[in-house]
Amino acid sequence: MEYRGIHQTALTPADAAEFARMLHDAPGPHLGRAPVPVLVHEPDTTPAGRRRALQEVYDAIVARIGEPTLYGGSAEGPSVRWRDGRRIVLLAGDRQQVGLSVHDTLTLEGEERRAFEWGGAWSGGEPYDPAFLPYVWLLDRSGPGERPTSRQGGRPAADLAQFQYGLQLLLAAWVEQLPVQVGTDWASFCLTSAVDRGRQLLVSYSLEDGLQASIDDRDGENNDDRARTMLARGWQSRDRGWWQTDFPDPGPENAADLAALVVTELCARGTRAPEELRARDVSCKDRGELWLPGLGVRH
């Protein structure tokens, strides 16, 4: 979806909140129109800077029209929805601009369904690309409005390189988007592999703890050779049989590092294809239902 409308001057937070109320309560004249900017970022704005700027606008909108029906985001920016059976008020954007718009529910979700079916690509023969999906994560906490009767499922990753790319995009999105929408709540999942049954590889993010990964290695030897092997893969420390890596104040490069570590570890233990993987215990502080259509594996 194109997030940049014809207006290039962003509304103030107070005006954005009032405009959101108008879209929410009287959507008719505005249905399907180009988004109206509520933020315009400078080209050199950092992810942390974008997060701080969006927080002020987001808080003002929520104070006016209430918590969203669905929290979420794409690889490029937020994708937050106040939804019922008639209309969706959408707060969405990318690294340049965030806008407010309102859409007919069936029309928007039909367009998004086609995007998920194609996997973000131009055709079925093109590679799966989660960077172009409408959202890579979505959180339903039974908020105001009406939840969808079904959820979108992204195309599976074609290989582990694509899975790593999708994981990197998801983690980078969480770092920038989750604190704005859910504060200090953590999000996490557990990866398991059909070729290494019973082993858990945990991945998580929270504002307080940063990005983290840990692998159950209690059946591995606790000696110097094993430590050198695990450290060479990118793990940082061992605690009671679990190897861990933490990035307390993560940036986009750390999302890439953690995704690479996860895939390196999976490959070292015999995983060869995404269809062997499953994401289990997908959760955001055990509140609501968290969907990860950009991950490219079953969950």
Side-chain angles (χ1 to χ4, degrees), residues 46-48 50 95 164 167-169 171-173 175 211 245 247-261:
T46 65
R50 291 194 296 267
R95 293 182 178 91
Q164 179 177 326
L167 177 58
Q168 173 186 335
L169 294 179
L171 296 178
V175 169
L211 279 175
T245 288
F247 296 107
D249 186 20
E253 69 282 0
N254 301 130
D257 292 341
L258 203 71
L261 168 61

Side-chain angles (χ1 to χ4, degrees), residues 15-30 64-65 87 89 102:
D15 287 343
E18 180 58 27
F19 184 59
R21 185 200 61 77
M22 186 188 311
L23 299 182
H24 186 275
D25 296 346
H30 307 279
R64 184 64 57 89
I65 64 173
R87 58 95 185 105
V89 177
V102 65

Side-chain angles (χ1 to χ4, degrees), residues 43-123:
D44 59 350
T45 305
T46 65
R50 291 194 296 267
R51 189 169 69 193
R52 287 192 298 269
L54 181 59
Q55 188 74 69
E56 184 178 4
V57 176
Y58 179 82
D59 288 347
I61 292 171
V62 169
R64 184 64 57 89
I65 64 173
E67 292 290 333
T69 313
L70 298 166
Y71 308 85
S74 71
E76 294 291 317
S79 183
V80 187
R81 294 143 193 264
W82 289 261
R83 181 193 186 279
D84 64 21
R86 300 177 300 110
R87 58 95 185 105
I88 294 174
V89 177
L90 183 65
L91 177 68
D94 54 26
R95 293 182 178 91
Q96 287 77 48
Q97 187 167 298
V98 177
L100 271 170
S101 56
V102 65
H103 306 268
D104 175 82
T105 298
L106 291 178
T107 300
L108 177 62
E109 291 181 348
E111 292 173 353
E112 292 183 337
R113 186 175 301 108
R114 288 188 288 275
F116 280 106
E117 287 172 354
W118 290 114
W122 290 106
S123 70

Side-chain angles (χ1 to χ4, degrees), residues 18-271:
E18 180 58 27
F19 184 59
R21 185 200 61 77
M22 186 188 311
L23 299 182
H24 186 275
D25 296 346
H30 307 279
L31 282 169
R33 290 189 176 182
V36 172
V38 297
L39 277 178
V40 177
H41 298 297
E42 296 296 328
D44 59 350
T45 305
T46 65
R50 291 194 296 267
R51 189 169 69 193
R52 287 192 298 269
L54 181 59
Q55 188 74 69
E56 184 178 4
V57 176
Y58 179 82
D59 288 347
I61 292 171
V62 169
R64 184 64 57 89
I65 64 173
E67 292 290 333
T69 313
L70 298 166
Y71 308 85
S74 71
E76 294 291 317
S79 183
V80 187
R81 294 143 193 264
W82 289 261
R83 181 193 186 279
D84 64 21
R86 300 177 300 110
R87 58 95 185 105
I88 294 174
V89 177
L90 183 65
L91 177 68
D94 54 26
R95 293 182 178 91
Q96 287 77 48
Q97 187 167 298
V98 177
L100 271 170
S101 56
V102 65
H103 306 268
D104 175 82
T105 298
L106 291 178
T107 300
L108 177 62
E109 291 181 348
E111 292 173 353
E112 292 183 337
R113 186 175 301 108
R114 288 188 288 275
F116 280 106
E117 287 172 354
W118 290 114
W122 290 106
S123 70
E126 294 294 321
Y128 163 88
D129 193 345
F132 296 102
L133 294 177
Y135 48 86
V136 295
W137 70 277
L138 209 65
L139 174 63
D140 177 3
R141 283 184 161 172
S142 301
E146 301 175 22
R147 64 176 295 174
T149 56
S150 61
R151 65 182 188 179
Q152 308 286 9
R155 276 170 57 184
D159 53 33
L160 289 177
Q162 286 187 0
F163 166 68
Q164 179 177 326
Y165 174 56
L167 177 58
Q168 173 186 335
L169 294 179
L170 172 65
L171 296 178
W174 275 1
V175 169
E176 186 168 337
Q177 299 161 15
L178 274 175
V180 174
Q181 300 180 43
V182 300
T184 59
D185 289 0
W186 50 261
S188 70
F189 55 89
C190 171
L191 285 169
T192 61
S193 174
V195 301
D196 191 19
R197 294 187 182 278
R199 192 175 311 281
Q200 300 180 75
L201 199 168
L202 306 179
V203 179
S204 67
Y205 171 74
S206 73
L207 181 62
E208 294 179 334
D209 298 324
L211 279 175
Q212 298 181 326
S214 58
I215 180 76
D216 183 357
D217 194 49
R218 287 174 293 180
D219 58 343
E221 295 182 356
N222 185 16
N223 56 36
D224 290 345
D225 285 344
R226 183 62 176 170
R228 280 191 290 269
T229 296
M230 298 300 281
L231 292 169
R233 291 177 189 170
W235 297 103
Q236 296 172 348
S237 62
R238 186 178 189 271
D239 181 24
R240 289 169 289 185
W242 287 75
W243 281 91
Q244 303 169 345
T245 288
D246 307 287
F247 296 107
D249 186 20
E253 69 282 0
N254 301 130
D257 292 341
L258 203 71
L261 168 61
V262 166
V263 172
T264 296
E265 187 65 33
L266 290 169
C267 289
R269 295 179 184 270
T271 298

